[in-house]
Amino acid sequence: MSAVAAPVEADDAAVRPSVIVIGRSDFHTGIGTVSAAACELFSRSFDVAFWSPRETWLHEGSTITLPTGRTVPVARPEGASVYFFTDVLWNGHSDSNYAALPSDGFRIAHMAYDSDQLPAEWVTILNERFDLALFSSGYLEEVARSSGVRIPVGTLPIGLELEPLLARRARSALPQKTRFGTVSAYHTRKGLDLLVEGFLQAFATDSSVELVIHSNLEMGDTLARVSALAADAPVQNIRLSTGDLSDADKNGLIESFDVYVNVSAGEGYSIGPREALALGKPLVLSRIPPHEELRGLPGVTFVNPIGRRPAQYPEIENRVMGHQAILRADDISAALIEARAFAQSPEAAATVRARRDRAADFSYTRLNAVYNELLNPDTLSVKPERPHSPFAALPAEAGVLARAHGGRHGVRLGGKKVVVPLRDAGFFSIFNVFLSQLVWHNLEDDVTMVVPDWDAGRFLRAHPDEKVVSYCYSKPDDGNMWLKLFEPLYDLTAEEMNDEAFLYSGSVPPTTEWNEDREPMLTYVNAHDLYLSPDFQRVRRQYKTVLDRHVHLLPRYRAELDGVIADQIEGRYTVGVHVKHPSHAIEQPGKQMADRYAYVNRVRQELVANGINESSDEWGVFLATDQERVVSLFAEEFGDHIINFRDVTRTTIEADETFDSLSEEEQHDDGHQLQHQMAADTSSWSARLAWEVWRDAEVMASCTSLIHAVSNVATAVSFMSTEVDMKYFTV
């Protein structure tokens, strides 16, 4: 049984949690599921503890174990930024459970309810003690408002651990047997007596059809009435059971059903049908508001109510509050017959995916981002690619309250920023490291954002005794070099990206300087292995998705590049060529690289391989190089076919002739590359140099193919476009 583990002593010196979930640790029950989801999903991003006023055996300093296996500390509800209440608000005059809620912090109630009118006591408690009321289904928002709730309301579906069910192979019904089943409490509103009556009308004498009813909860005389009806079945095809089941046994029971049935007069969330959908099962459901979220699916059959009746609650002092549906056994019988025909048809197996996809909208995976967004409202701007449930609807006030109590981007709630500092390296070496950190940390729930600290002045102050060898892309007083090329990340302002205090508040550095622990093939000569890897195209797609979402050129640069590409690249076969200075041989496997003449020959090979006549006007060659002599050679060889930027800083022909006269050992020394020459003089540092290399890279990414060596530039180009055909070229 998935319940609380025996209390385990925790570290007394632990930091006070920033989020405390108040609820119940009997996680196999419906109300316990709400607590489990909150503890699990908040713990993925924030520092979380649990408290249960009803469960006196739990004490501060112990821990609970969630159904996922995650442990959460137990802590009294005090000193936190957020209190998330998942228990029943009020269950009768002797119930003061809500009094455990402190008067400070961001106080949120998360509730399910199964009538069209909230208890007056609930309304009072919400208005006086909470800042936000969240309901499991959207229809309850209007129920809350009409009942008198004045605080902001919204919809947060209860996260369900459906992933193990979604991963199972769907089981088709056997032709010789159809099993209907439900896991429902023996409670008057669940309509189990009507279900048995409807089943008997449809299949009383048919031993090939079976009805299974199980529950861990029985109230009043419901079980006795249902048992009496089942006992009269002519062929004894109704099976009843009670008692706690482990999650594995419960899931196995649902998996054994061919059709899952819930004909309740009222439901707060209806977990069982969602679990059955995750297994691909057809459903028979009463048409009540929480079941409307499952409409429109093949194999979901509804039983329409014939009216409404007062909703009576034996568990809340037998009070009457609002109304619930009235169903007829005749209509249930018709729905069961229709569902059996569907379950035995080929369409049942053909439409499993549609049912499972809907169930996934209520899974931990889809709701993780929503729970995160509730406490960190910037989640969607930082990680918009995360899966998101369409059934959630957080009010605008939630974001305002979260920022007031949790800080911008949830930093005070325990979220952290990863700050990627400036390195003494070439532009795309710096950029690719940042992009790699962004790609990988976007997968981590506890990282609120990844930001670059590319401030040359701060870099120099942090390394006062080190000679700068490669960096030259912004001046020491330029601030964050990112802003010289790109718009601010996420929803940050330029001021925030230049603010050292903001950048480093709640921040951590990358675990490794170049992200080499997770992307070893992106570093230095190892890119050779990346280019030849069978996974190269997959990696390109992964990185391009993140790059496109988060990296946006300043409008003036975007317009300039789009114009060049439209005028000179689009509409013809274009060979991109990236010819690096021969001093870059140290970055190549074996320290060998092709010379400029070999690149000329390689371009001609590319034309021949694609059936292009060199004298025709249907092609062009875009040249990106840091050497004037390469520009001269290509102009001589290809004339008007050459495309390149003229306003680029390059090494002179004279300087390269001097380089040619050096020994091989001397050629491998620092100082010959253009970036080394520019880095040697701080007055030469300029964001213009960054723009020049970025501009070349984007145009290369727009070419039909790119002939390249091992290079951070070429690697970046491969991420900018998955369409350009990368042609790795070596000696």
Side-chain angles (χ1 to χ4, degrees):
M1 177 171 59
S2 295
V4 61
V8 178
E9 294 304 316
D11 183 2
D12 292 335
V15 176
R16 194 72 187 165
S18 52
V19 181
I20 296 181
V21 175
I22 302 173
R24 301 192 196 182
S25 67
D26 48 348
F27 299 132
H28 61 290
T29 65
I31 192 69
T33 299
V34 190
S35 302
C39 288
E40 172 64 31
L41 296 180
F42 288 142
S43 290
R44 296 180 181 185
S45 302
F46 309 106
D47 297 327
V48 175
F50 174 77
W51 183 254
S52 178
R54 300 183 191 277
E55 299 166 336
T56 56
W57 61 90
L58 291 176
H59 58 87
E60 186 160 28
S62 62
T63 63
I64 58 168
T65 301
L66 303 180
T68 60
R70 183 190 298 272
T71 59
V72 175
V74 174
R76 299 186 64 83
E78 57 188 35
S81 297
V82 176
Y83 302 99
F84 196 79
F85 195 92
T86 61
D87 203 345
V88 176
L89 284 175
W90 178 84
N91 224 13
H93 287 297
S94 62
D95 186 5
S96 59
N97 191 44
Y98 61 87
L101 189 74
S103 58
D104 59 350
F106 183 12
R107 301 163 300 172
I108 307 169
H110 192 201
M111 300 155 285
Y113 193 63
D114 51 27
S115 173
D116 59 3
Q117 181 181 343
L118 296 184
E121 289 80 2
W122 282 32
V123 174
T124 299
I125 292 168
L126 288 172
N127 288 336
E128 293 181 355
R129 292 180 173 267
F130 286 90
D131 304 301
L132 176 66
L134 297 176
F135 295 93
S136 56
S137 297
Y139 82 96
L140 286 169
E141 290 189 37
E142 181 52 38
V143 169
R145 294 187 187 99
S146 64
S147 298
V149 174
R150 299 188 303 273
I151 62 173
V153 299
T155 302
L156 178 64
I158 301 166
L160 302 176
E161 192 187 7
L162 299 177
E163 287 78 4
L165 302 183
L166 291 165
R168 293 191 184 192
R169 183 185 298 274
R171 186 187 68 81
S172 299
L174 299 174
Q176 66 272 24
K177 190 83 171 180
T178 302
R179 173 180 266 203
F180 293 91
T182 188
V183 179
S184 301
Y186 289 103
H187 187 292
T188 302
R189 68 177 169 86
K190 294 292 186 178
L192 296 179
D193 47 356
L194 282 175
L195 171 58
V196 171
E197 290 177 14
F199 178 81
L200 290 173
Q201 287 183 30
F203 309 113
T205 60
D206 190 344
S207 60
S208 70
V209 185
E210 185 178 44
L211 174 64
V212 175
I213 300 175
H214 178 82
S215 177
N216 65 343
L217 180 66
E218 54 180 284
M219 301 190 68
D221 63 350
T222 301
L223 178 58
R225 288 187 287 108
V226 172
S227 298
L229 288 168
D232 290 337
V235 293
Q236 299 299 300
N237 54 355
I238 300 175
R239 307 184 188 285
L240 309 178
S241 58
T242 60
D244 290 340
L245 293 178
S246 68
D247 284 345
D249 288 342
K250 180 202 66 178
N251 293 339
L253 178 63
I254 296 176
E255 190 171 31
S256 75
F257 301 159
D258 299 309
V259 179
Y260 189 95
V261 184
N262 183 305
V263 290
S264 177
E267 285 287 337
Y269 192 55
S270 210
I271 293 173
R274 288 167 167 82
E275 293 174 329
L277 271 189
L279 289 165
K281 303 298 180 182
L283 306 176
V284 171
L285 300 175
S286 52
R287 190 179 290 278
I288 56 177
H291 288 160
E292 286 295 318
E293 295 172 337
L294 310 181
R295 71 181 185 277
L297 295 172
V300 175
T301 305
F302 279 105
V303 180
N304 292 319
I306 60 172
R308 297 193 306 164
R309 67 184 178 195
Q312 189 170 18
Y313 290 86
E315 67 273 31
I316 309 180
E317 301 173 342
N318 214 31
R319 290 175 58 174
V320 174
M321 293 172 285
H323 300 82
Q324 293 175 337
I326 300 174
L327 304 177
R328 294 191 314 171
D330 290 351
D331 297 327
I332 295 173
S333 177
L336 294 176
I337 292 171
E338 180 181 342
R340 186 198 186 194
F342 179 87
Q344 294 291 339
S345 73
E347 189 181 359
T351 56
V352 163
R353 174 60 64 86
R355 293 189 290 278
R356 300 188 106 167
D357 283 349
R358 181 67 58 84
D361 286 331
F362 307 100
S363 67
Y364 280 175
T365 299
R366 295 275 175 88
L367 285 165
N368 184 36
V370 185
Y371 276 71
N372 197 326
E373 180 191 353
L374 173 63
L375 304 189
N376 175 10
D378 303 294
T379 294
L380 289 183
S381 65
V382 174
K383 301 179 181 181
E385 62 275 8
R386 287 299 184 89
H388 201 282
S389 173
F391 295 101
L394 303 180
E397 296 93 336
V400 176
L401 290 163
R403 287 188 175 97
H405 293 282
R408 185 158 166 78
H409 303 290
V411 170
R412 289 206 303 272
L413 290 171
K416 61 189 179 186
K417 292 192 291 286
V418 174
V419 179
V420 184
L422 191 63
R423 307 292 182 188
D424 182 10
F427 175 81
F428 274 112
S429 176
I430 297 167
F431 179 84
N432 289 354
V433 167
F434 169 73
L435 183 62
S436 182
Q437 299 285 0
L438 182 62
V439 166
W440 280 88
H441 285 299
N442 260 6
L443 304 175
E444 298 175 8
D445 294 315
D446 62 342
V447 174
T448 61
M449 63 177 68
V450 182
V451 287
D453 179 18
W454 292 351
D455 188 307
R458 187 152 44 245
F459 170 73
L460 291 174
R461 290 191 295 273
H463 305 84
D465 301 323
E466 296 181 20
K467 178 184 176 182
V468 178
V469 175
S470 297
Y471 183 80
C472 55
Y473 303 99
S474 64
K475 295 186 181 300
D477 58 355
D478 276 350
N480 198 329
M481 187 257 291
W482 178 275
L483 300 170
K484 297 298 180 181
L485 286 186
F486 309 114
E487 295 179 351
L489 282 161
Y490 320 123
D491 61 347
L492 297 177
T493 64
E495 290 73 20
E496 285 172 324
M497 289 197 67
N498 269 316
D499 183 355
E500 182 177 6
F502 172 79
L503 289 175
Y504 287 94
S505 173
S507 72
V508 296
T511 53
T512 54
E513 184 174 0
W514 307 104
N515 204 31
E516 62 270 24
D517 57 332
R518 293 179 289 197
E519 290 285 18
M521 289 193 294
L522 289 186
T523 60
Y524 202 45
V525 299
N526 296 347
H528 161 269
D529 297 325
L530 175 67
Y531 305 149
L532 301 180
S533 167
D535 287 333
F536 186 32
Q537 193 66 14
R538 179 192 60 77
V539 174
R540 291 173 68 181
R541 289 193 298 268
Q542 177 190 17
Y543 274 64
K544 177 174 168 52
T545 297
V546 175
L547 186 148
D548 287 349
R549 287 188 186 277
H550 296 290
V551 182
H552 306 291
L553 277 175
L554 294 172
R556 66 180 184 275
Y557 289 145
R558 183 75 272 155
E560 178 183 337
L561 264 177
D562 289 346
V564 170
I565 293 169
D567 292 343
Q568 301 192 54
I569 302 297
E570 292 178 351
R572 60 175 171 169
Y573 190 95
T574 311
V575 182
V577 185
H578 185 220
V579 184
K580 295 164 64 72
H581 192 274
S583 59
H584 285 275
I586 60 173
E587 300 162 9
Q588 311 304 312
K591 297 185 179 180
Q592 298 292 320
M593 65 186 297
D595 64 21
R596 60 192 184 278
Y597 302 104
Y599 275 94
V600 169
N601 293 332
R602 182 65 183 82
V603 170
R604 290 196 165 104
Q605 292 172 13
E606 189 73 5
L607 297 177
V608 171
N610 287 277
I612 296 173
N613 188 327
E614 186 176 335
S615 63
S616 72
D617 294 329
E618 64 186 28
W619 72 282
V621 55
F622 176 75
L623 175 64
T625 185
D626 50 4
Q627 307 157 75
E628 285 292 348
R629 66 181 179 181
V630 175
V631 175
S632 298
L633 174 63
F634 270 65
E636 292 172 5
E637 295 288 336
F638 300 118
D640 293 340
H641 292 283
I642 190 172
I643 307 165
N644 70 329
F645 292 106
R646 306 296 183 186
D647 55 340
V648 174
T649 306
R650 296 188 173 99
T651 59
T652 66
I653 293 175
E654 294 76 17
D656 287 340
E657 288 174 345
T658 300
F659 173 85
D660 291 342
S661 67
L662 299 174
S663 67
E664 182 176 351
E665 183 178 352
E666 291 172 322
Q667 288 180 349
H668 292 166
D669 290 339
D670 287 338
H672 304 301
Q673 297 176 16
L674 181 63
Q675 67 196 42
H676 296 162
Q677 297 169 22
M678 304 302 292
D681 181 4
T682 308
S683 65
S684 299
W685 294 10
S686 171
R688 167 71 190 187
L689 298 171
W691 167 235
E692 289 177 6
V693 295
W694 182 274
R695 181 177 61 177
D696 272 352
E698 277 224 34
V699 178
M700 284 188 278
S702 301
C703 292
T704 313
S705 60
L706 175 65
I707 301 168
H708 66 95
V710 168
S711 164
N712 285 309
V713 178
T715 301
V717 170
S718 75
F719 301 153
M720 291 178 178
S721 168
T722 56
E723 301 301 319
V724 60
D725 189 4
M726 304 292 294
K727 305 282 190 177
Y728 174 62
F729 182 45
T730 185
V731 178

